[in-house]
Amino acid sequence: MKKKIFKYWKEYKWSNVMAMIKNMREEPKRCDLRFDNKLVVITGATSGIGYYTAKKYASMGANLLTINRNLEKSKKLKEEIENEFNTKCDYFIADLSILNNIYNTANYLLSLDTNIDVLIHNAGVFYTKKKITKDGLEENFVVHFLAPFIINNILLDKFNKQGKGRIILVSSEGYRFSVWGPDLDDLMFEKNKYSGLKGYGNAKICQILTMHIYSKLLNGPTIIAMHPGAVKTNTGKDNGKTYKLFKSTFIDSFSKTPEISAEALYYLGVSPEMENVTDKFFHLTKEEELTPPAKDMEIACKLWDLSVKIAKLEGVSLCQKSLLSEEESLA
């Protein structure tokens, strides 16, 4: 830890924190172009940000494929979208905290004979107490990071054959809770004490770090991460009464509607201004500079190699050391 503090301390800029605070007050850019007959895949679309994003894309003519845990809610969403907007809204049922379900999702998407124009990794969780999945992994890490990591990996060749397409990671300013970066010796919090913010921040910074590597492996398609704003969602609904009271009393009272997140996600996925923009982090639609540990390519490469093993991905090359030479370009 001391080594990390020494490494990053001088690189932190207070101006970046002030920029983030300023960006919290700004409205997202909007895109009025239609997206007729394009295919948009959204994970976690039956409520909150995913729900409003699905409706936004459908209202502009896009066809949807949503990845959700709940069958009844998925059927209801399909019926609502198709009746209201006259577009297709299919669904695939999967629990993205379970490795087998993640692989099934990725392979199903790979089997599609149509291009995926926009892939939005939106599914998320927040647990104040550590929760272990059926695979023995910390759940924040799996849902926020490992699921997009596996799906992107399996779809890599499909996206490159398409030669176009946009991958959007619904990230969070919460990655800043991982002040000194992920502890690669304890990604599951088996040694260090877990807290909701630590688990959430750890997963989100891992998501951003491997974004850097995917951006170099994608030839044409782009990948970006975005903070969806402080909006009212059901995230954290499975926590205890104390957290629920705190969330409803304080967090939700200052939160905006998820519709602003949906507008931002539409702009990022459709706007010509975002053409060829890759490996960037946005606060809604405003680009932000990442914190020093979130730009560390050496850590990103080590995380990549660890994640390949944890995810049990087969036939995936380990991180190329040549990527390290591009570290400065991320600054």
Side-chain angles (χ1 to χ4, degrees):
M1 179 59 76
K2 289 182 179 178
K3 185 178 178 181
K4 283 188 173 182
I5 294 173
F6 181 78
K7 181 178 182 181
Y8 299 132
W9 178 257
K10 292 183 178 178
E11 298 177 25
Y12 266 102
K13 301 175 185 175
W14 282 107
S15 58
N16 290 345
V17 177
M18 300 307 294
M20 178 195 71
I21 294 172
K22 179 184 177 184
N23 293 336
M24 291 171 68
R25 296 192 293 268
E26 292 196 4
E27 292 292 318
K29 293 181 181 176
R30 295 171 188 269
C31 177
D32 295 326
L33 294 177
R34 290 191 60 80
F35 212 45
D36 291 310
N37 301 315
K38 302 293 186 181
L39 178 60
V40 180
V41 177
I42 307 172
T43 66
T46 58
S47 65
I49 294 169
Y51 171 77
Y52 285 98
T53 302
K55 291 191 69 172
K56 175 63 186 181
Y57 273 93
S59 72
M60 302 301 274
N63 295 320
L64 302 177
L65 172 56
T66 65
I67 314 295
N68 313 304
R69 284 185 299 181
N70 188 292
L71 176 59
E72 292 306 314
K73 289 182 180 178
S74 297
K75 288 180 177 177
K76 184 179 178 183
L77 176 68
K78 174 182 172 66
E79 184 178 350
E80 180 181 345
I81 293 281
E82 292 185 345
N83 287 341
E84 187 172 350
F85 302 110
N86 196 30
T87 59
K88 291 182 181 177
C89 180
D90 294 322
Y91 56 83
F92 186 83
I93 302 301
D95 183 340
L96 296 181
S97 71
I98 301 173
L99 287 181
N100 185 47
N101 280 214
I102 298 170
Y103 276 98
N104 288 343
T105 301
N107 288 322
Y108 174 71
L109 295 176
L110 183 65
S111 73
L112 298 176
D113 58 6
T114 57
N115 287 350
I116 297 174
D117 295 285
V118 179
L119 168 59
I120 301 175
H121 292 287
N122 168 69
V125 294
F126 179 80
Y127 295 116
T128 54
K129 294 182 179 179
K130 183 178 173 182
K131 190 172 181 182
I132 301 299
T133 70
K134 293 181 179 177
D135 301 295
L137 305 171
E138 195 276 308
E139 188 159 331
N140 273 292
F141 184 82
V142 179
V143 176
H144 290 287
F145 168 64
L146 211 55
F149 180 79
I150 293 170
I151 292 171
N152 290 343
N153 215 298
I154 291 177
L155 295 183
L156 196 57
D157 286 346
K158 176 179 176 66
F159 269 107
N160 281 335
K161 285 177 182 176
Q162 291 180 189
K164 59 183 180 179
R166 300 181 188 182
I167 300 172
I168 304 175
L169 303 163
V170 177
S171 182
S172 170
E173 296 283 7
Y175 85 87
R176 296 172 187 269
F177 295 130
S178 182
V179 179
W180 309 115
D183 184 346
L184 300 184
D185 294 323
D186 191 26
L187 289 171
M188 303 301 147
F189 291 90
E190 294 168 321
K191 302 173 185 174
N192 298 310
K193 186 177 180 181
Y194 173 90
S195 73
L197 295 182
K198 284 182 181 177
Y200 189 76
N202 178 66
K204 288 302 187 184
I205 200 168
C206 289
Q207 197 182 59
I208 292 169
L209 283 167
T210 52
M211 171 185 74
H212 303 319
I213 297 176
Y214 275 118
S215 72
K216 299 175 192 323
L217 298 176
L218 288 164
N219 184 20
T222 59
I223 181 169
I224 59 171
M226 67 87 77
H227 170 68
V231 295
K232 188 175 181 179
T233 70
N234 289 330
T235 303
K237 61 182 174 59
D238 297 322
N239 291 315
K241 292 180 180 178
T242 303
Y243 174 80
K244 290 178 182 175
L245 178 62
F246 174 76
K247 184 174 185 291
S248 62
T249 305
F250 296 101
I251 299 176
D252 289 348
S253 62
F254 296 104
S255 298
K256 300 179 180 177
T257 169
E259 287 173 288
I260 66 163
S261 312
E263 288 291 346
L265 283 164
Y266 189 77
Y267 173 87
L268 296 173
V270 177
S271 173
E273 293 180 16
M274 293 300 299
E275 192 79 34
N276 301 320
V277 175
T278 193
D279 197 17
K280 301 293 183 184
F281 181 89
F282 292 84
H283 186 118
L284 292 173
T285 55
K286 181 78 171 182
E287 185 183 336
E288 282 186 357
E289 183 178 345
L290 291 164
T291 61
K295 296 186 290 186
D296 193 325
M297 283 300 289
E298 183 177 354
I299 296 297
C301 272
K302 290 179 179 176
L303 174 64
W304 176 279
D305 293 349
L306 274 173
S307 303
V308 168
K309 294 176 182 175
I310 294 170
K312 301 175 183 176
L313 276 164
E314 297 178 353
V316 177
S317 300
L318 297 181
C319 184
Q320 300 297 312
K321 291 184 178 179
S322 58
L323 292 172
L324 294 177
S325 62
E326 299 183 28
E327 181 179 1
E328 293 301 319
S329 67
L330 293 167

